[in-house]
Amino acid sequence: MLEIKNLNKSYGSKEALTDVNLTIPRGEIVGLFGENGAGKTTLMKCILGFHRYSGTITLDGSLITPSNITKISFATGEHSFFPGLTPKAHRDFYAEHFPDFSDTRFKGLMDFFELPMNKALKHFSVGQKNQFEVIMSLCQGADYIIMDEPFAGNDVFNREDFYKVLLGIMEPNETIILSTHLIEEVSDFIGRAVLIHKGRLINDIYVSDLEESGRSLIDFVKEIYNYRNDRVSKTLETLTGIKE
């Protein structure tokens, strides 16, 4: 279980996260949603220990340290691989350093994305680099897999098919925390939605509860964030003088 208690993070005088409390058991697929700058990436980096913060973050009851950090993997568009190495070299490196590395999963996902094994990653397209980042996060053998906008540069067919594959290969003890703006696209994939606004956790709901109430995830998110349906028409009216 991942537990976050009274988490606060500031950049100078700017508060990035304020009093965040969140518990995520094993086996869940959690969508982390919010506007640009809401604090999603900062929260993920606090979990990984990339930022200093106040409050506590524990993994299965223990603070996250070098002794248990391998239980967490991270896929980000910023990329964490070695650009001069090939996928094959990365596989060999990970297999040596992560005892639970899954070579079967690695080979299967490489085939799924049709990525070359012996081409240096610096020669991959942006979409291919992001695909490879996701592959390595899923093959490391981690219990908690954190993904921050993992599919930038990928077409909708690749994304949709991948979600289906991911649901098929997930083990009961694996947990995914996925930050994305593609809310409608992942609504059938995630089981729980956590919403952040200006550094504060403002809602946490299971998708099944929404379905029982007859609401879609995207409509719920718009409601929580007070989305204005008339913002486009008002802007066009201001810019063109034409009222729709």
Side-chain angles (χ1 to χ4, degrees):
M1 179 178 291
L2 178 67
E3 292 185 276
I4 301 169
K5 296 181 179 180
N6 305 318
L7 177 64
N8 292 275
K9 169 62 184 173
S10 297
Y11 297 105
S13 60
K14 177 179 172 55
E15 290 187 357
L17 295 171
T18 305
D19 199 29
V20 174
N21 290 275
L22 182 64
T23 299
I24 301 176
R26 289 179 183 244
E28 290 195 347
I29 303 178
V30 180
L32 184 61
F33 305 123
E35 316 99 308
N36 291 327
K40 303 183 299 296
T41 298
T42 298
L43 175 58
M44 290 180 163
K45 289 186 175 180
C46 285
I47 294 171
L48 291 158
F50 294 166
H51 292 320
R52 292 184 177 180
Y53 55 84
S54 64
T56 60
I57 301 176
T58 58
L59 190 64
D60 299 332
S62 301
L63 294 175
I64 299 172
T65 67
S67 66
N68 63 358
I69 190 64
T70 57
K71 290 183 178 181
I72 304 176
S73 63
F74 188 39
T76 169
E78 297 176 8
H79 302 143
S80 58
F81 47 69
F82 304 103
L85 297 184
T86 64
K88 182 179 182 302
H90 277 85
R91 181 195 65 188
D92 295 343
F93 177 84
Y94 269 61
E96 181 177 348
H97 290 85
F98 298 102
D100 294 323
F101 179 81
S102 174
D103 194 48
T104 299
R105 188 177 281 190
F106 175 82
K107 291 176 179 177
L109 291 174
M110 286 291 291
D111 287 342
F112 171 77
F113 285 117
E114 299 180 340
L115 297 179
M117 286 285 286
N118 296 301
K119 182 178 180 179
L121 287 160
K122 63 183 177 182
H123 299 305
F124 279 26
S125 69
V126 171
Q128 288 176 321
K129 289 176 181 177
N130 291 338
Q131 290 167 358
F132 186 73
E133 184 89 358
V134 168
I135 290 173
M136 299 312 292
S137 72
L138 289 168
C139 297
Q140 177 181 311
D143 295 324
Y144 300 85
I145 302 158
I146 299 176
M147 298 182 178
D148 188 10
E149 293 291 355
F151 289 115
N154 274 263
D155 62 75
V156 65
F157 304 112
N158 249 333
R159 296 194 303 265
E160 288 183 355
D161 288 347
F162 173 74
Y163 294 136
K164 295 173 185 176
V165 169
L166 188 52
L167 282 173
I169 66 173
M170 272 193 69
E171 298 291 340
N173 65 323
E174 288 181 307
T175 299
I176 292 178
I177 304 171
L178 172 66
S179 171
T180 180
H181 292 294
L182 303 173
I183 298 171
E184 290 179 287
E185 193 170 286
V186 301
S187 60
D188 293 330
F189 168 66
I190 65 169
R192 179 178 170 191
V194 173
L195 278 57
I196 295 182
H197 177 63
K198 294 183 178 179
R200 294 180 182 273
L201 196 158
I202 61 170
N203 214 289
D204 182 357
I205 191 167
Y206 283 90
V207 175
S208 58
D209 292 336
L210 284 175
E211 292 172 348
E212 288 180 6
S213 67
R215 289 181 292 175
S216 68
L217 177 59
I218 187 63
D219 287 339
F220 174 75
V221 171
K222 286 182 177 180
E223 174 188 328
I224 295 299
Y225 286 106
N226 297 312
Y227 175 74
R228 288 171 41 225
N229 290 317
D230 64 345
R231 65 191 299 243
V232 173
S233 60
K234 284 185 176 296
T235 299
L236 290 175
E237 182 181 346
T238 299
L239 294 174
T240 67
I242 300 174
K243 188 173 183 178
E244 293 190 355

